[in-house]
mmCIF file of all heavy atoms in Angstrom:
data_model
loop_
_atom_site.group_PDB
_atom_site.id
_atom_site.type_symbol
_atom_site.label_atom_id
_atom_site.label_comp_id
_atom_site.label_asym_id
_atom_site.label_seq_id
_atom_site.Cartn_x
_atom_site.Cartn_y
_atom_site.Cartn_z
ATOM 1 N N VAL Q 718 -10.008 -4.562 -12.806
ATOM 2 C CA VAL Q 718 -8.556 -4.220 -12.427
ATOM 3 C C VAL Q 718 -8.230 -4.960 -11.044
ATOM 4 O O VAL Q 718 -9.019 -4.854 -10.086
ATOM 5 C CB VAL Q 718 -8.277 -2.696 -12.328
ATOM 6 C CG1 VAL Q 718 -6.942 -2.616 -11.819
ATOM 7 C CG2 VAL Q 718 -8.485 -2.128 -13.702
ATOM 8 N N HIS Q 719 -7.084 -5.639 -11.078
ATOM 9 C CA HIS Q 719 -6.661 -6.264 -9.928
ATOM 10 C C HIS Q 719 -5.415 -5.638 -9.356
ATOM 11 O O HIS Q 719 -4.542 -5.299 -10.136
ATOM 12 C CB HIS Q 719 -6.391 -7.783 -10.129
ATOM 13 C CG HIS Q 719 -7.622 -8.559 -10.481
ATOM 14 N ND1 HIS Q 719 -8.682 -8.857 -9.473
ATOM 15 C CD2 HIS Q 719 -8.148 -9.052 -11.681
ATOM 16 C CE1 HIS Q 719 -9.599 -9.514 -10.137
ATOM 17 N NE2 HIS Q 719 -9.357 -9.590 -11.386
ATOM 18 N N MET Q 720 -5.308 -5.471 -8.111
ATOM 19 C CA MET Q 720 -4.151 -4.830 -7.528
ATOM 20 C C MET Q 720 -3.644 -5.718 -6.368
ATOM 21 O O MET Q 720 -4.331 -6.070 -5.466
ATOM 22 C CB MET Q 720 -4.537 -3.510 -6.965
ATOM 23 C CG MET Q 720 -5.308 -2.638 -7.882
ATOM 24 S SD MET Q 720 -5.722 -0.973 -7.274
ATOM 25 C CE MET Q 720 -4.164 -0.083 -7.650
ATOM 26 N N VAL Q 721 -2.262 -5.992 -6.376
ATOM 27 C CA VAL Q 721 -1.790 -6.967 -5.368
ATOM 28 C C VAL Q 721 -0.586 -6.427 -4.753
ATOM 29 O O VAL Q 721 0.419 -6.148 -5.424
ATOM 30 C CB VAL Q 721 -1.371 -8.313 -6.166
ATOM 31 C CG1 VAL Q 721 -0.800 -9.262 -5.062
ATOM 32 C CG2 VAL Q 721 -2.534 -8.883 -6.790
ATOM 33 N N GLU Q 722 -0.678 -6.148 -3.471
ATOM 34 C CA GLU Q 722 0.440 -5.529 -2.716
ATOM 35 C C GLU Q 722 1.436 -6.604 -2.290
ATOM 36 O O GLU Q 722 1.067 -7.754 -2.074
ATOM 37 C CB GLU Q 722 0.012 -4.825 -1.572
ATOM 38 C CG GLU Q 722 -0.975 -3.713 -1.712
ATOM 39 C CD GLU Q 722 -2.459 -4.018 -1.610
ATOM 40 O OE1 GLU Q 722 -2.754 -5.319 -1.729
ATOM 41 O OE2 GLU Q 722 -3.326 -3.252 -1.268
ATOM 42 N N SER Q 723 2.671 -6.226 -2.011
ATOM 43 C CA SER Q 723 3.747 -7.021 -1.505
ATOM 44 C C SER Q 723 4.657 -6.102 -0.789
ATOM 45 O O SER Q 723 4.762 -4.972 -0.979
ATOM 46 C CB SER Q 723 4.445 -7.918 -2.498
ATOM 47 O OG SER Q 723 5.074 -7.021 -3.430
ATOM 48 N N GLY Q 724 5.477 -6.841 0.219
ATOM 49 C CA GLY Q 724 6.500 -6.034 0.854
ATOM 50 C C GLY Q 724 6.374 -5.688 2.257
ATOM 51 O O GLY Q 724 7.275 -5.015 2.934
ATOM 52 N N GLY Q 725 5.203 -5.979 2.813
ATOM 53 C CA GLY Q 725 4.807 -5.582 4.117
ATOM 54 C C GLY Q 725 5.742 -6.510 5.087
ATOM 55 O O GLY Q 725 6.289 -7.465 4.696
ATOM 56 N N GLY Q 726 5.695 -6.151 6.474
ATOM 57 C CA GLY Q 726 6.423 -6.918 7.405
ATOM 58 C C GLY Q 726 6.548 -6.215 8.703
ATOM 59 O O GLY Q 726 5.981 -5.235 8.875
ATOM 60 N N LEU Q 727 7.555 -6.814 9.505
ATOM 61 C CA LEU Q 727 7.861 -6.304 10.743
ATOM 62 C C LEU Q 727 9.248 -5.578 10.736
ATOM 63 O O LEU Q 727 10.161 -6.214 10.193
ATOM 64 C CB LEU Q 727 7.854 -7.464 11.869
ATOM 65 C CG LEU Q 727 8.307 -7.048 13.184
ATOM 66 C CD1 LEU Q 727 7.425 -6.060 13.851
ATOM 67 C CD2 LEU Q 727 8.462 -8.311 14.002
ATOM 68 N N VAL Q 728 9.286 -4.402 11.274
ATOM 69 C CA VAL Q 728 10.544 -3.691 11.157
ATOM 70 C C VAL Q 728 10.656 -2.811 12.450
ATOM 71 O O VAL Q 728 9.653 -2.396 13.079
ATOM 72 C CB VAL Q 728 10.630 -2.683 9.972
ATOM 73 C CG1 VAL Q 728 9.506 -1.685 9.926
ATOM 74 C CG2 VAL Q 728 11.887 -2.161 9.794
ATOM 75 N N GLN Q 729 11.830 -2.626 12.860
ATOM 76 C CA GLN Q 729 12.051 -1.731 14.181
ATOM 77 C C GLN Q 729 11.974 -0.282 13.692
ATOM 78 O O GLN Q 729 12.204 0.100 12.538
ATOM 79 C CB GLN Q 729 13.424 -2.046 14.664
ATOM 80 C CG GLN Q 729 13.536 -3.429 15.397
ATOM 81 C CD GLN Q 729 14.878 -3.443 16.069
ATOM 82 O OE1 GLN Q 729 15.965 -2.915 15.764
ATOM 83 N NE2 GLN Q 729 14.909 -4.326 17.133
ATOM 84 N N ALA Q 730 11.575 0.456 14.699
ATOM 85 C CA ALA Q 730 11.440 1.881 14.594
ATOM 86 C C ALA Q 730 12.787 2.414 13.980
ATOM 87 O O ALA Q 730 13.811 2.038 14.417
ATOM 88 C CB ALA Q 730 11.104 2.647 15.855
ATOM 89 N N GLY Q 731 12.655 3.391 13.076
ATOM 90 C CA GLY Q 731 13.838 3.983 12.407
ATOM 91 C C GLY Q 731 14.331 3.075 11.195
ATOM 92 O O GLY Q 731 15.114 3.562 10.354
ATOM 93 N N GLY Q 732 13.711 1.987 10.899
ATOM 94 C CA GLY Q 732 14.044 1.117 9.738
ATOM 95 C C GLY Q 732 13.296 1.595 8.519
ATOM 96 O O GLY Q 732 12.474 2.566 8.573
ATOM 97 N N SER Q 733 13.435 0.847 7.501
ATOM 98 C CA SER Q 733 12.785 1.059 6.197
ATOM 99 C C SER Q 733 12.053 -0.162 5.687
ATOM 100 O O SER Q 733 12.426 -1.322 5.951
ATOM 101 C CB SER Q 733 13.837 1.585 5.286
ATOM 102 O OG SER Q 733 14.500 2.657 5.607
ATOM 103 N N LEU Q 734 11.119 0.073 4.802
ATOM 104 C CA LEU Q 734 10.431 -0.969 4.151
ATOM 105 C C LEU Q 734 10.091 -0.496 2.800
ATOM 106 O O LEU Q 734 9.857 0.770 2.631
ATOM 107 C CB LEU Q 734 9.094 -1.468 4.809
ATOM 108 C CG LEU Q 734 9.186 -2.479 5.933
ATOM 109 C CD1 LEU Q 734 7.937 -2.769 6.511
ATOM 110 C CD2 LEU Q 734 9.848 -3.839 5.482
ATOM 111 N N ARG Q 735 9.870 -1.192 1.694
ATOM 112 C CA ARG Q 735 9.476 -0.891 0.361
ATOM 113 C C ARG Q 735 8.234 -1.709 0.025
ATOM 114 O O ARG Q 735 8.368 -3.002 -0.015
ATOM 115 C CB ARG Q 735 10.589 -1.126 -0.564
ATOM 116 C CG ARG Q 735 10.202 -0.734 -2.063
ATOM 117 C CD ARG Q 735 11.524 -0.887 -2.897
ATOM 118 N NE ARG Q 735 11.089 -0.875 -4.311
ATOM 119 C CZ ARG Q 735 11.217 0.245 -5.092
ATOM 120 N NH1 ARG Q 735 11.372 1.459 -4.486
ATOM 121 N NH2 ARG Q 735 10.976 0.106 -6.359
ATOM 122 N N LEU Q 736 7.182 -1.109 -0.160
ATOM 123 C CA LEU Q 736 5.924 -1.732 -0.627
ATOM 124 C C LEU Q 736 5.739 -1.630 -2.094
ATOM 125 O O LEU Q 736 6.238 -0.632 -2.717
ATOM 126 C CB LEU Q 736 4.623 -1.127 0.112
ATOM 127 C CG LEU Q 736 4.625 -1.106 1.603
ATOM 128 C CD1 LEU Q 736 3.304 -0.416 2.002
ATOM 129 C CD2 LEU Q 736 4.898 -2.479 2.218
ATOM 130 N N SER Q 737 5.290 -2.754 -2.728
ATOM 131 C CA SER Q 737 5.078 -2.751 -4.065
ATOM 132 C C SER Q 737 3.652 -3.167 -4.361
ATOM 133 O O SER Q 737 3.041 -3.851 -3.563
ATOM 134 C CB SER Q 737 6.023 -3.666 -4.880
ATOM 135 O OG SER Q 737 7.402 -3.301 -4.655
ATOM 136 N N CYS Q 738 3.100 -2.786 -5.438
ATOM 137 C CA CYS Q 738 1.714 -3.065 -5.951
ATOM 138 C C CYS Q 738 1.811 -3.427 -7.477
ATOM 139 O O CYS Q 738 2.098 -2.423 -8.196
ATOM 140 C CB CYS Q 738 0.802 -1.933 -5.555
ATOM 141 S SG CYS Q 738 -0.891 -2.310 -6.099
ATOM 142 N N ALA Q 739 1.261 -4.492 -7.745
ATOM 143 C CA ALA Q 739 1.248 -4.902 -9.157
ATOM 144 C C ALA Q 739 -0.243 -4.726 -9.617
ATOM 145 O O ALA Q 739 -1.189 -5.213 -8.967
ATOM 146 C CB ALA Q 739 1.710 -6.342 -9.360
ATOM 147 N N VAL Q 740 -0.400 -4.083 -10.708
ATOM 148 C CA VAL Q 740 -1.705 -3.590 -11.223
ATOM 149 C C VAL Q 740 -2.007 -4.454 -12.540
ATOM 150 O O VAL Q 740 -1.083 -4.306 -13.412
ATOM 151 C CB VAL Q 740 -1.906 -2.137 -11.351
ATOM 152 C CG1 VAL Q 740 -3.197 -1.717 -11.726
ATOM 153 C CG2 VAL Q 740 -1.372 -1.409 -10.105
ATOM 154 N N SER Q 741 -3.189 -4.812 -12.560
ATOM 155 C CA SER Q 741 -3.481 -5.558 -13.929
ATOM 156 C C SER Q 741 -3.843 -4.684 -15.147
ATOM 157 O O SER Q 741 -3.906 -5.278 -16.143
ATOM 158 C CB SER Q 741 -4.642 -6.589 -13.693
ATOM 159 O OG SER Q 741 -5.778 -5.850 -13.441
ATOM 160 N N GLY Q 742 -3.892 -3.413 -14.940
ATOM 161 C CA GLY Q 742 -4.143 -2.546 -16.065
ATOM 162 C C GLY Q 742 -3.498 -1.188 -15.887
ATOM 163 O O GLY Q 742 -2.878 -0.967 -14.898
ATOM 164 N N SER Q 743 -3.645 -0.296 -16.884
ATOM 165 C CA SER Q 743 -3.042 1.010 -16.754
ATOM 166 C C SER Q 743 -4.078 2.034 -16.020
ATOM 167 O O SER Q 743 -5.226 2.153 -16.642
ATOM 168 C CB SER Q 743 -2.776 1.574 -18.218
ATOM 169 O OG SER Q 743 -2.286 2.843 -18.098
ATOM 170 N N ILE Q 744 -3.761 2.528 -14.935
ATOM 171 C CA ILE Q 744 -4.577 3.324 -14.144
ATOM 172 C C ILE Q 744 -3.983 4.787 -14.111
ATOM 173 O O ILE Q 744 -2.823 4.908 -13.935
ATOM 174 C CB ILE Q 744 -4.795 2.743 -12.670
ATOM 175 C CG1 ILE Q 744 -5.357 1.333 -12.857
ATOM 176 C CG2 ILE Q 744 -5.660 3.687 -11.876
ATOM 177 C CD1 ILE Q 744 -6.812 1.321 -13.412
ATOM 178 N N TYR Q 745 -4.851 5.870 -14.242
ATOM 179 C CA TYR Q 745 -4.298 7.130 -14.268
ATOM 180 C C TYR Q 745 -3.664 7.556 -12.890
ATOM 181 O O TYR Q 745 -2.591 8.033 -12.998
ATOM 182 C CB TYR Q 745 -5.502 8.051 -14.364
ATOM 183 C CG TYR Q 745 -5.228 9.527 -14.152
ATOM 184 C CD1 TYR Q 745 -4.396 10.230 -15.024
ATOM 185 C CD2 TYR Q 745 -5.729 10.305 -12.987
ATOM 186 C CE1 TYR Q 745 -4.058 11.570 -14.844
ATOM 187 C CE2 TYR Q 745 -5.304 11.482 -12.813
ATOM 188 C CZ TYR Q 745 -4.515 12.286 -13.646
ATOM 189 O OH TYR Q 745 -4.172 13.568 -13.450
ATOM 190 N N SER Q 746 -4.139 7.329 -11.795
ATOM 191 C CA SER Q 746 -3.522 7.574 -10.547
ATOM 192 C C SER Q 746 -3.435 6.317 -9.637
ATOM 193 O O SER Q 746 -4.420 5.659 -9.523
ATOM 194 C CB SER Q 746 -4.360 8.656 -9.809
ATOM 195 O OG SER Q 746 -3.794 9.058 -8.418
ATOM 196 N N LEU Q 747 -2.232 6.166 -9.080
ATOM 197 C CA LEU Q 747 -2.027 4.966 -8.187
ATOM 198 C C LEU Q 747 -1.514 5.614 -6.847
ATOM 199 O O LEU Q 747 -0.877 6.582 -6.887
ATOM 200 C CB LEU Q 747 -1.033 4.107 -8.734
ATOM 201 C CG LEU Q 747 -1.352 3.381 -10.175
ATOM 202 C CD1 LEU Q 747 -0.132 2.594 -10.657
ATOM 203 C CD2 LEU Q 747 -2.495 2.429 -9.801
ATOM 204 N N GLY Q 748 -1.949 4.976 -5.820
ATOM 205 C CA GLY Q 748 -1.595 5.543 -4.601
ATOM 206 C C GLY Q 748 -1.596 4.496 -3.416
ATOM 207 O O GLY Q 748 -1.916 3.270 -3.749
ATOM 208 N N TRP Q 749 -1.408 4.986 -2.271
ATOM 209 C CA TRP Q 749 -1.412 4.217 -1.063
ATOM 210 C C TRP Q 749 -2.240 4.801 0.073
ATOM 211 O O TRP Q 749 -2.149 6.004 0.278
ATOM 212 C CB TRP Q 749 0.041 3.889 -0.553
ATOM 213 C CG TRP Q 749 0.899 3.117 -1.466
ATOM 214 C CD1 TRP Q 749 1.618 3.721 -2.491
ATOM 215 C CD2 TRP Q 749 1.082 1.762 -1.456
ATOM 216 N NE1 TRP Q 749 2.312 2.621 -3.137
ATOM 217 C CE2 TRP Q 749 1.865 1.428 -2.574
ATOM 218 C CE3 TRP Q 749 0.547 0.737 -0.811
ATOM 219 C CZ2 TRP Q 749 2.400 0.119 -2.912
ATOM 220 C CZ3 TRP Q 749 0.840 -0.574 -1.112
ATOM 221 C CH2 TRP Q 749 1.795 -0.862 -2.092
ATOM 222 N N TYR Q 750 -2.930 4.007 0.671
ATOM 223 C CA TYR Q 750 -3.719 4.402 1.922
ATOM 224 C C TYR Q 750 -3.270 3.435 3.041
ATOM 225 O O TYR Q 750 -2.731 2.351 2.796
ATOM 226 C CB TYR Q 750 -5.254 4.263 1.739
ATOM 227 C CG TYR Q 750 -5.834 5.396 0.840
ATOM 228 C CD1 TYR Q 750 -5.519 5.423 -0.494
ATOM 229 C CD2 TYR Q 750 -6.741 6.271 1.250
ATOM 230 C CE1 TYR Q 750 -6.078 6.428 -1.401
ATOM 231 C CE2 TYR Q 750 -7.300 7.211 0.539
ATOM 232 C CZ TYR Q 750 -6.953 7.267 -0.789
ATOM 233 O OH TYR Q 750 -7.561 8.227 -1.626
ATOM 234 N N ARG Q 751 -3.678 3.723 4.172
ATOM 235 C CA ARG Q 751 -3.361 2.804 5.389
ATOM 236 C C ARG Q 751 -4.477 3.012 6.413
ATOM 237 O O ARG Q 751 -5.117 4.022 6.459
ATOM 238 C CB ARG Q 751 -1.990 3.107 6.036
ATOM 239 C CG ARG Q 751 -1.993 4.436 6.770
ATOM 240 C CD ARG Q 751 -0.565 4.747 7.294
ATOM 241 N NE ARG Q 751 -0.473 5.966 8.071
ATOM 242 C CZ ARG Q 751 0.719 6.424 8.422
ATOM 243 N NH1 ARG Q 751 1.887 5.887 8.160
ATOM 244 N NH2 ARG Q 751 0.712 7.528 9.085
ATOM 245 N N GLN Q 752 -4.603 1.904 7.153
ATOM 246 C CA GLN Q 752 -5.599 1.842 8.206
ATOM 247 C C GLN Q 752 -4.923 1.221 9.499
ATOM 248 O O GLN Q 752 -4.690 0.107 9.512
ATOM 249 C CB GLN Q 752 -6.852 1.077 7.815
ATOM 250 C CG GLN Q 752 -8.003 1.076 8.842
ATOM 251 C CD GLN Q 752 -9.320 0.643 8.292
ATOM 252 O OE1 GLN Q 752 -9.436 0.029 7.236
ATOM 253 N NE2 GLN Q 752 -10.386 0.983 9.036
ATOM 254 N N GLY Q 753 -4.644 2.001 10.515
ATOM 255 C CA GLY Q 753 -4.090 1.583 11.651
ATOM 256 C C GLY Q 753 -5.211 1.034 12.629
ATOM 257 O O GLY Q 753 -6.408 1.122 12.425
ATOM 258 N N PRO Q 754 -4.800 0.335 13.645
ATOM 259 C CA PRO Q 754 -5.720 -0.287 14.565
ATOM 260 C C PRO Q 754 -6.608 0.747 15.179
ATOM 261 O O PRO Q 754 -6.201 1.788 15.769
ATOM 262 C CB PRO Q 754 -4.919 -0.852 15.684
ATOM 263 C CG PRO Q 754 -3.467 -1.000 15.032
ATOM 264 C CD PRO Q 754 -3.348 0.195 14.032
ATOM 265 N N GLY Q 755 -7.942 0.611 15.079
ATOM 266 C CA GLY Q 755 -8.952 1.404 15.625
ATOM 267 C C GLY Q 755 -9.035 2.832 14.932
ATOM 268 O O GLY Q 755 -9.771 3.724 15.438
ATOM 269 N N LYS Q 756 -8.467 2.885 13.719
ATOM 270 C CA LYS Q 756 -8.485 4.190 12.996
ATOM 271 C C LYS Q 756 -9.217 3.963 11.669
ATOM 272 O O LYS Q 756 -9.323 2.887 11.151
ATOM 273 C CB LYS Q 756 -7.143 4.604 12.766
ATOM 274 C CG LYS Q 756 -6.297 4.922 14.093
ATOM 275 C CD LYS Q 756 -4.803 5.426 13.701
ATOM 276 C CE LYS Q 756 -4.119 5.679 14.925
ATOM 277 N NZ LYS Q 756 -2.654 6.180 14.613
ATOM 278 N N GLN Q 757 -9.554 5.139 11.140
ATOM 279 C CA GLN Q 757 -10.169 5.127 9.760
ATOM 280 C C GLN Q 757 -8.997 5.074 8.707
ATOM 281 O O GLN Q 757 -7.854 5.411 8.895
ATOM 282 C CB GLN Q 757 -10.988 6.419 9.585
ATOM 283 C CG GLN Q 757 -12.203 6.517 10.391
ATOM 284 C CD GLN Q 757 -13.057 7.730 9.976
ATOM 285 O OE1 GLN Q 757 -12.499 8.680 9.533
ATOM 286 N NE2 GLN Q 757 -14.320 7.650 10.159
ATOM 287 N N ARG Q 758 -9.409 4.589 7.521
ATOM 288 C CA ARG Q 758 -8.318 4.452 6.465
ATOM 289 C C ARG Q 758 -8.079 5.942 6.026
ATOM 290 O O ARG Q 758 -8.830 6.854 5.966
ATOM 291 C CB ARG Q 758 -9.043 3.819 5.302
ATOM 292 C CG ARG Q 758 -7.994 3.402 4.214
ATOM 293 C CD ARG Q 758 -8.594 2.467 3.134
ATOM 294 N NE ARG Q 758 -9.168 1.155 3.758
ATOM 295 C CZ ARG Q 758 -9.433 0.057 2.943
ATOM 296 N NH1 ARG Q 758 -9.509 0.277 1.719
ATOM 297 N NH2 ARG Q 758 -9.897 -0.950 3.501
#
């Protein structure tokens, strides 16, 4: 299975962004994780 994200970028505080992920197959659970600088995912 391949997963490709899009939609990231630079935004000012208070703003909005919409991330998308295209998946090459049908998966039971889809989600999002993040890893900040110097932090764990």
Side-chain angles (χ1 to χ4, degrees):
V718 173
H719 296 284
M720 312 182 80
V721 180
E722 302 97 334
S723 61
L727 174 65
V728 65
Q729 287 189 331
S733 298
L734 277 177
R735 178 178 167 87
L736 304 182
S737 296
C738 177
V740 185
S741 64
S743 179
I744 301 294
Y745 170 69
S746 175
L747 295 174
W749 294 91
Y750 286 68
R751 70 184 181 189
Q752 187 166 13
K756 297 180 181 179
Q757 291 187 332
R758 193 173 297 190

